[in-house]
Amino acid sequence: MADEPSDAFSELVDARIAALQAELAVVRAEMQHFTYAVSHDLRAPLRHIVSYAQLVEEDAGPQLNEEVRGFLATITDSARNMGVLLDGLAALARVGTAPVELVSVSLQDLLGPMCSELSAQNPQRAIDWRIDQDLPRVLADEALLRQAVNHVLDNSLKFSALRERAVIEVRTAPADEVGCVVLSIQDNGVGYNPTQQAQLFKVFGRLHSSKQFGGIGMGLVLTQKMLERFGAAVFTQSAVDGGCCVRLLLKRA
């Protein structure tokens, strides 16, 4: 008789877990529908806006003054920018539905080729990669981790564009949490005001104007969501004109 309460509690827990899994399946289905709507249904009106603005410019161009042509250019640019924002939302939605497979990933093997590729994509930039030579293996979804780290490195390059030479240091250190390691990526870029840090992890959150630096303010949001999918986390630390340090808390393999 002593085991009956324990058995009843276990059954209650199992039932609750099953209910939560069912709710999660519904949420994922809704997110997939949202992704489809963003990727397809909302794009048709944008294509029409761009196409008809271009037709007006082509057909009536000689009759339009400079100010009106500027209006048409603004319409076209805004529609295209909205398309880029929709791409960001679609990417965020896909993160929540992507399958997760935990495997042992070598940070050394991951980062070496990634940094070489980024250097090749930015041949006009002087980039000083300073990477530890004994980076450990971590337990992660390799595809999601690769994308997350790429977003961080891309941000480091972007916000150090005003420097004569970009210096990006990649280090690891033991974490306070048992069985974890911290991967830190430090750059010598423009940094940001620490009082605005909460804005970093908001959708389309920007701390610098689009005229200064490109992008739509989705890099760290996507990074955070990707890491959360396999139990990792991201933290940032910075100062105005003092560079930025992004730390990824990862499980050791």
Side-chain angles (χ1 to χ4, degrees), residues 4-25:
E4 290 182 3
S6 177
D7 292 342
F9 179 74
S10 296
E11 291 176 2
L12 183 62
V13 171
D14 290 342
R16 181 55 180 159
I17 291 175
L20 289 174
Q21 289 175 334
E23 291 177 10
L24 180 60

Side-chain angles (χ1 to χ4, degrees), residues 8 26 38 72 75 82 93-94 100 107 132 160 170 175 200 213-214 217 243 253:
V26 171
V38 168
L72 287 173
I75 291 172
M82 184 173 290
R94 285 194 297 270
V100 174
L107 289 177
D132 275 355
S160 59
V170 182
L200 285 175
F213 302 100

Side-chain angles (χ1 to χ4, degrees), residues 57 60-72:
E57 185 175 12
Q63 305 171 39
L64 303 177
N65 59 40
E66 185 175 348
E67 183 180 27
V68 174
R69 284 197 295 270
F71 293 159
L72 287 173

Side-chain angles (χ1 to χ4, degrees), residues 135-193:
L135 299 179
R137 301 185 73 88
V138 296
L139 188 64
D141 180 281
E142 186 169 4
L144 290 174
L145 178 60
R146 183 182 301 277
Q147 293 177 65
V149 172
N150 190 72
H151 280 305
V152 176
L153 294 176
D154 190 59
N155 271 356
S156 293
L157 285 177
K158 179 197 302 183
F159 294 111
S160 59
L162 301 181
R163 308 306 189 200
E164 183 176 351
R165 175 177 293 273
V167 179
I168 301 174
E169 302 179 23
V170 182
R171 305 279 185 263
T172 55
D176 294 336
E177 292 78 357
V178 177
C180 293
V181 63
V182 174
L183 173 68
S184 64
I185 300 173
Q186 171 76 54
D187 64 56
N188 66 333
V190 297
Y192 61 84
N193 188 331

Side-chain angles (χ1 to χ4, degrees), residues 165-250:
R165 175 177 293 273
V167 179
I168 301 174
E169 302 179 23
V170 182
R171 305 279 185 263
T172 55
D176 294 336
E177 292 78 357
V178 177
C180 293
V181 63
V182 174
L183 173 68
S184 64
I185 300 173
Q186 171 76 54
D187 64 56
N188 66 333
V190 297
Y192 61 84
N193 188 331
T195 61
Q196 298 177 292
Q197 182 148 324
Q199 189 72 13
L200 285 175
F201 297 98
K202 293 182 179 179
V203 175
F204 305 135
R206 298 182 58 95
L207 302 186
H208 305 281
S209 72
S210 57
K211 292 182 179 180
Q212 285 181 296
F213 302 100
I216 58 174
M218 288 289 285
L220 281 178
V221 176
L222 289 168
T223 296
Q224 183 181 57
K225 296 300 181 184
M226 289 171 181
L227 295 175
E228 287 176 350
R229 290 300 312 279
F230 56 88
V234 58
F235 307 92
T236 64
Q237 184 177 2
S238 183
V240 177
D241 205 37
C244 179
C245 183
V246 179
R247 295 183 175 89
L248 310 185
L249 178 64
L250 304 167

Side-chain angles (χ1 to χ4, degrees), residues 36-56:
Y36 180 86
V38 168
S39 300
H40 298 83
D41 299 348
L42 297 182
R43 292 191 180 281
L46 287 178
R47 286 195 296 269
H48 291 158
I49 292 171
V50 172
S51 297
Y52 280 98
Q54 290 175 337
L55 286 174
V56 170

